[in-house]
Amino acid sequence: MRVGLYVPCYIDQFYPQVGIATLELLEKQGCEVVFNPQQTCCGQPMANSGFQHLTHKLDVQNNSLFAGCECVVCPSGSCTLHLKEHVFSQDLPVYELSEFLVDVLKVENLHASFPFRVGIHQSCHGLRGLHLAKSSELVDEPYSKIGTLLDQVKGLELRIPEKVDECCGFGGTFAVNEEPVSAKMGQDKCAEFEQADVDYITSADMSCLMHIEGIIKRKGQAKMKVIHLAEILNSQI
């Protein structure tokens, strides 16, 4: 399968190892991966700030990036949702990484190992927009695409916090416009993971993890670390 890899701008700038892990992971699954270096921001920050009408040129550019690809895969729930709803046409499917691995490739053995206690942070865009897991308020059979993948990782001990799908408080521009509320929500989220005694917090959204990581570092000697899902699934420790 010829797959276009969309690497979000903040991952490209701050967490390039996540883009590399995603590339390697897709190639291990037999995908022919296309990365177009002309790609830039998906336009979500402008749209969320009320300037969707100004993103037309950016949307046109993003639409031109992956000609000849069967689909686009992105290691970010929030960017994937924006690309799905506002940028790419229905002729070019867009998938968040975990939904691509579970729903399209139907991966059953990742040959990965990561011998640590890991907690999942379900990002709001991934949960409510992409339905990567069952929301706790819904009466339905439980499922988690991220959990399905982590269950295939040797040595990994999955630990679930009590408020499993509560927002971390980042919310893109929300963290800027409502800083005190955002910080308190993040602190509460970190406390949940501390109580669960995890070594790592993982997520499909590095933006949420960036917010959580900032709070952890401000606390000083916290032992928890953050890591993107792609890095775990590509790991062989």
Side-chain angles (χ1 to χ4, degrees), residues 21-34:
T22 305
L23 168 66
E24 293 179 347
L25 185 60
L26 292 173
E27 289 182 337
K28 286 179 181 176
Q29 299 304 316
C31 296
E32 178 188 354
V33 183
V34 175

Side-chain angles (χ1 to χ4, degrees), residues 69-193:
C69 292
E70 297 173 65
C71 65
V72 173
V73 175
C74 177
S76 164
S78 61
C79 297
T80 298
L81 186 61
H82 181 76
L83 292 170
K84 279 190 178 198
E85 293 186 340
H86 301 290
V87 181
F88 290 124
S89 69
Q90 293 183 347
D91 295 335
L92 185 60
V94 186
Y95 299 100
E96 181 277 328
L97 177 63
S98 68
E99 71 173 341
F100 179 71
L101 294 173
V102 172
D103 295 345
V104 180
L105 297 185
K106 302 186 185 306
V107 172
E108 295 183 349
N109 192 341
L110 285 162
H111 302 289
S113 60
F114 194 73
F116 298 100
R117 297 184 295 270
V118 176
I120 300 175
H121 168 63
Q122 300 280 6
S123 68
C124 299
H125 282 95
L127 191 67
R128 318 290 180 193
L130 298 175
H131 308 294
L132 299 182
K134 184 188 85 68
S135 299
S136 58
E137 73 274 13
L138 298 179
V139 179
D140 202 350
E141 289 295 319
Y143 71 92
S144 169
K145 295 176 185 178
I146 295 175
T148 296
L149 294 169
L150 292 179
D151 284 342
Q152 299 177 30
V153 179
K154 293 179 182 176
L156 187 147
E157 181 182 339
L158 196 58
R159 296 200 171 183
I160 309 298
E162 181 179 355
K163 298 175 182 176
V164 62
D165 54 9
E166 193 162 289
C167 177
C168 71
F170 177 57
T173 53
F174 176 79
V176 177
N177 297 324
E178 301 289 346
E179 181 187 350
V181 178
S182 170
K184 181 62 169 65
M185 292 172 71
Q187 290 163 2
D188 291 347
K189 193 70 182 177
C190 287
E192 285 275 306
F193 283 112

Side-chain angles (χ1 to χ4, degrees), residues 46 51-63 87:
M46 292 179 67
F51 299 104
Q52 176 72 43
H53 61 291
L54 299 179
T55 65
H56 178 67
K57 289 185 178 179
L58 184 59
D59 294 347
V60 170
Q61 177 181 336
N62 281 327
N63 257 303
V87 181

